[in-house]
Structures are given as C-alpha cells and as structure tokens.
Amino acid sequence: MTPLRHLYLFSACLVTTLGAMLPATAAEPYIEIRPGEYAMTNEVTDQVSKQCFKADKISASTLRAQFSNEESNNCEITDSHKQGETLVITMSCKFDQEAAGTVHMEVTSNGDEIQTSSEIKMMIEGQERSMAMKGVGKRVGGC
C-alpha cells in the first residue's frame, strides 16, 4: 500500500470514528455530547457523513474501540485527559507491517456541535509522514 493511501485511509477512518462510539466508562476522562444524528464534515476531504450518536459521552476508549475495529490498524491509548472542556487523546497505532504512528486528537462539544482536530504522524517505509485534519459535526435531529 502506498504511503499516501495509508494516510488517506486513516483520515477517512477519523471522519467516521465518532459516530460509531460506545458509551464512555465512568473512570476515564470524557466530554458530554447531545445524543442524536450529526452531519460530520471532514475539512480535508469535504466529505459529509451522517452519524448517529446514541451515547451522551465521548472518551478515549470509545475512539480506540472504533480504530481497532478497522481491519488494518491497532491503536493503543497512551494519554487521555481533559484540558478545560476539551478531551485530549494520544494514541499509538500500528496499521500493518509497513506503517506505524501516533494520533493526537482534541474533541470538544458545545450543544449541537462537535469539533475535532487531529494530527497524524506515521512512519511508512522508513519515512515520516504527517497530516493535520479538522472536522465539525452539527446535530441535525434524532437518530
């Protein structure tokens, strides 16, 4: 798989990650969201997808669970904390035998909107690649 393909697939995964989350556990940092259907826009690709948020919380474990469901990657949480009203998450990911890297993500929510900011750094075939990405999700109704 080409380096750009790795980055593209991973960025596409981030677009859909938030919508398939499991509830957060009580002991870990989380932010509250208003459950419902959100139109999620990825600023890198301008793709819009509708996602149903059934839980009222977002945490690092919910994000990691979604990343690990993808066939070609495996992410471990290395840090998760709140900074004000922002959930800050760092994960170490291995995508296949050729690619590994880190994801630094910040997620905020204020009422009917979710904002995400991510920085992805990957080593692919011995070369470091990076990509910054932002997204926004606007609540459009119930699920």
Side-chain angles (χ1 to χ4, degrees):
M1 189 176 296
T2 67
L4 290 177
R5 180 79 175 142
H6 276 287
L7 283 173
Y8 176 76
L9 288 175
F10 191 62
S11 68
C13 178
L14 287 175
V15 173
T16 59
T17 294
L18 294 174
M21 289 191 212
L22 306 168
T25 61
E28 68 181 331
Y30 65 88
I31 59 170
E32 293 181 0
I33 65 168
R34 184 171 171 210
E37 185 175 53
Y38 285 73
M40 304 295 295
T41 303
N42 177 328
E43 290 183 2
V44 171
T45 63
D46 285 330
Q47 286 183 314
V48 177
S49 62
K50 290 195 176 176
Q51 302 292 330
C52 178
F53 289 83
K54 294 181 180 177
D56 62 351
K57 296 177 175 79
I58 296 174
S59 72
S61 67
T62 56
L63 290 170
R64 191 191 77 59
Q66 176 62 22
F67 286 136
S68 294
N69 285 338
E70 299 296 319
E71 276 185 32
S72 63
N73 67 46
N74 181 18
C75 297
E76 300 284 331
I77 301 164
T78 57
D79 182 41
S80 173
H81 63 276
K82 278 186 77 172
Q83 196 169 28
E85 294 302 312
T86 300
L87 179 63
V88 179
I89 302 165
T90 303
M91 292 182 279
S92 175
C93 300
K94 182 169 180 153
F95 303 98
D96 60 27
Q97 293 181 352
E98 298 175 8
T102 59
V103 177
H104 178 83
M105 180 181 286
E106 296 182 3
V107 184
T108 60
S109 174
N110 56 357
D112 292 338
E113 190 170 283
I114 299 167
Q115 300 86 28
T116 63
S117 175
S118 303
E119 181 180 14
I120 306 160
K121 292 184 179 179
M122 298 175 66
M123 288 299 290
I124 302 172
E125 298 172 349
Q127 295 183 356
E128 184 174 280
R129 309 284 179 158
S130 64
M131 177 169 41
M133 192 166 86
K134 291 188 180 204
V136 64
K138 295 186 180 191
R139 190 172 187 279
V140 293
C143 293

